[in-house]
Amino acid sequence: MKTPSQPRAIYYIVAIQIWEYFSFYGMRALLILYLTHQLGFDDSHAISLFSAYASLVYVTPILGGWLADRLLGNRTAVIAGALLMTLGHVVLGFESDSIWSLYLALAIIICGYGLFKSNISCLLGELYAADDPRRDGGFSLLYAAGNVGSIAAPIACGLTAQWYGWHIGFALAGIGMFIGLLIFLSGHRHFSHTRGIDKQALCAVKFVLPTWGWLVVMLCVAPVFFTLLLENNGAGYLLAIVCLFAAQMVARIMVSSPQHRRALWQIVLLMLTGTLFWVLAQQGGSSISLFIDNFVSRRLLNIEVPTALFQSVNAVAVMAGGVVLAWLIRPEGKTRSVLRVWLKFAFGLLMMGCGFMLLALNARHGTVDGHASMGLMVGGLALMGFAELFIDPVAMAQITRLNMPGVTGMLTGIYMLATGAVANWLAGLVAQQTTESHISETAIAAYQHFFSQMGEWTIGCVAVIVLLVIAARLLFSPPVPCLHESRGD
């Protein structure tokens, strides 16, 4: 039986996702190296700023989801977010090593990411009916195809930064985002059935100004606010406040929608498990990147491979594995669907744990030979990349499957908050275990211990999840009728 083709609009969504990944991961691959090499930050300071920025990037999707649900619609929010991210990368591209310029650029990107990230997934969700069997395949395709950008970005931006300077590398990331926006706008006719701007709500006057006026004020104030927050290392305080607010929002949704309560609890548990996964995965941009820069032998055919290029490895694994999974996925019945979701999560965590154990082996190799192996490094990063396919696409599909008008964007934003903001902030705290004041045998031993610890804890969590799934299967599966053999008299 032939699998139904995806909606035409998905290809324009995939295109802008590719270029958004290009801009975001191109800058991400350079950021911590720029802080340590160009601005002279020590490892601890660089990790703190990197994790604060990465955390705040995922705080704003809650507000972006709310604005899309109530006022802008998903498509308009995506366009506005892409414009802001382009502007932020342009500011990073200016030839200046001013800390204030850096903070302002990061703040603008944070605002743009808030409007873009959760709403691109919700826009994709609008293309399908609640029971459309193509939904899971569409999300896997989006997630995998987007990684084309994250494969190309570290290579293009990393080599550009090495040949022409850091700021040209950052500017290239912004150019990519703008290209993606132009492609997306060219396909506007395919989104005519999606929800648009609520003009009546935007023109309604509240507290002297119309709503659109308050949006303009917020657009001007928000970058200044986040600039000050980055300068004063206040991300953790804002995150705590936002998490309390998000918990209250989830509680209100549960109270007002008792028919969805069981599904909402499942999503909450997926958020918590996904947070654990991303605390580990986000080490790639900080502690793992610094390990590669300091300890991995990067000579290949008498050429030194830039550290930034290693950020492409897990993206290659995501893309290759995602294409295969999107092709293999078939419509699933309702029987034990919850158990399938948790088994996918457990498998993703298992791959992540194995990846860290391989990095630990590599660090041990480095303590003996004086430098770690590039091959083992690539293998570990590939396992971690493959693991991602069993986490976010599964969770996003579950959230959009709820089909709850007015709250889907907020729930997606809250998922981003947990697995992005909270995970990145915690990842920064965890990565501090690896910092040393100078490069030494003690430093590489700290990495070995750190990687081993992460792998052991993750595999332990997998065992707990599998045991719970088995217990749930035994306790809640319908009893199998017994067949009694007939007896002779």
Side-chain angles (χ1 to χ4, degrees):
M1 182 177 178
K2 187 177 179 180
T3 304
S5 61
Q6 292 288 343
R8 182 68 178 248
I10 193 176
Y11 301 111
Y12 295 93
I13 294 176
V14 164
I16 195 170
Q17 181 86 330
I18 288 173
W19 287 106
E20 183 269 325
Y21 270 50
F22 182 93
S23 68
F24 183 78
Y25 284 95
M27 189 275 286
R28 179 181 180 266
L30 300 179
L31 183 56
I32 202 161
L33 301 174
Y34 173 70
L35 296 177
T36 52
H37 288 272
Q38 185 71 14
L39 299 185
F41 287 22
D42 60 36
D43 286 2
S44 180
H45 188 187
I47 287 173
S48 295
L49 179 58
F50 181 89
S51 63
Y53 158 72
S55 174
L56 292 173
V57 155
Y58 289 98
V59 169
T60 49
I62 292 182
L63 181 57
W66 184 89
L67 289 173
D69 283 338
R70 307 294 171 135
L71 299 172
L72 301 177
N74 294 315
R75 180 171 176 267
T76 303
V78 165
I79 293 170
L83 283 170
L84 285 173
M85 285 191 285
T86 300
L87 176 61
H89 285 99
V90 168
V91 174
L92 267 178
F94 289 148
E95 190 67 35
S96 169
D97 290 330
S98 165
I99 300 296
W100 271 96
S101 175
L102 170 68
Y103 288 159
L104 178 61
L106 296 179
I108 295 172
I109 295 171
I110 287 167
C111 295
Y113 203 78
L115 284 168
F116 186 96
K117 193 59 180 178
S118 64
N119 294 315
I120 194 70
S121 297
C122 293
L123 183 61
L124 177 60
E126 284 192 74
L127 304 183
Y128 305 99
D131 58 348
D132 193 328
R134 300 175 297 173
R135 180 183 294 267
D136 283 7
F139 274 92
S140 290
L141 178 62
L142 176 71
Y143 196 81
N147 280 276
V148 172
S150 57
I151 292 169
I155 298 172
C157 296
L159 291 174
T160 301
Q162 180 171 288
W163 294 339
Y164 304 107
W166 295 103
H167 298 286
I168 303 300
F170 288 132
L172 181 61
I175 293 170
M177 185 71 260
F178 189 66
I179 292 172
L181 177 59
L182 293 178
I183 296 172
F184 182 75
L185 290 174
S186 71
H188 67 93
R189 65 187 182 278
H190 299 293
F191 296 92
S192 57
H193 63 289
T194 59
R195 190 163 41 87
I197 295 174
D198 189 337
K199 295 180 181 178
Q200 184 178 354
L202 274 177
C203 294
V205 177
K206 293 184 178 180
F207 305 105
V208 182
L209 290 177
T211 303
W212 65 263
W214 286 113
L215 283 177
V216 172
V217 171
M218 184 172 64
L219 183 62
C220 296
V221 171
V224 177
F225 171 74
F226 286 114
T227 298
L228 294 173
L229 209 61
L230 288 170
E231 182 196 18
N232 295 287
N233 198 24
Y237 299 106
L238 177 63
L239 185 57
I241 294 170
V242 174
C243 285
L244 290 174
F245 177 68
Q248 184 260 347
M249 289 170 63
V250 172
R252 287 179 60 185
I253 294 171
M254 285 187 174
V255 170
S256 62
S257 306
Q259 70 275 21
H260 295 292
R261 196 168 295 165
R262 184 174 180 180
L264 287 167
W265 272 116
Q266 182 194 354
I267 288 170
V268 169
L269 293 174
L270 289 176
M271 287 180 184
L272 295 175
T273 310
T275 300
L276 167 64
F277 176 88
W278 283 106
V279 167
L280 302 169
Q282 294 299 349
Q283 298 301 317
S286 56
S287 62
I288 292 176
S289 186
L290 292 173
F291 174 75
I292 295 169
D293 198 48
N294 293 325
F295 298 112
V296 173
S297 173
R298 293 180 279 114
R299 301 293 298 180
L300 181 65
L301 301 177
N302 294 323
I303 299 172
E304 185 168 305
V305 179
T307 302
L309 269 64
F310 285 82
Q311 297 288 322
S312 295
V313 174
N314 66 344
V316 171
V318 170
M319 188 187 71
V323 170
V324 173
L325 289 178
W327 180 71
L328 291 176
I329 284 177
R330 295 290 182 267
E332 295 179 352
K334 294 182 179 179
T335 308
R336 298 196 303 276
S337 60
V338 173
L339 302 186
R340 287 193 182 100
V341 168
W342 282 106
L343 286 175
K344 289 176 182 177
F345 259 57
F347 187 75
L349 284 169
L350 178 62
M351 293 295 99
M352 179 61 69
C354 291
F356 268 103
M357 295 305 288
L358 197 57
L359 295 191
L361 178 64
N362 198 20
R364 183 178 180 182
H365 181 270
T367 59
V368 176
D369 294 351
H371 55 80
S373 162
M374 184 163 58
L376 286 177
M377 198 73 229
V378 169
L381 291 173
L383 281 175
M384 293 176 177
F386 183 67
E388 293 181 25
L389 289 164
F390 299 90
I391 306 297
D392 274 2
V394 175
M396 287 296 186
Q398 290 298 107
I399 291 172
T400 58
R401 187 174 281 114
L402 282 175
N403 194 28
M404 297 174 64
V407 302
T408 304
M410 280 190 288
L411 284 174
T412 307
I414 292 170
Y415 178 82
M416 294 289 180
L417 172 71
T419 60
V422 176
N424 272 289
W425 189 75
L426 291 175
L429 295 181
V430 170
Q432 293 291 344
Q433 296 181 44
T434 65
T435 58
E436 294 284 339
S437 59
H438 58 280
I439 307 303
S440 64
E441 290 184 4
T442 306
I444 196 170
Y447 276 105
Q448 179 188 343
H449 177 71
F450 173 73
F451 293 148
S452 296
Q453 222 174 22
M454 295 300 100
E456 290 165 3
W457 277 96
T458 306
I459 294 172
C461 289
V462 171
V464 171
I465 291 173
V466 171
L467 288 174
L468 290 175
V469 168
I470 293 172
R473 175 72 179 89
L474 294 175
L475 291 174
F476 300 110
S477 60
V480 179
C482 293
L483 298 178
H484 298 283
E485 293 180 357
S486 59
R487 295 182 181 180
D489 294 328

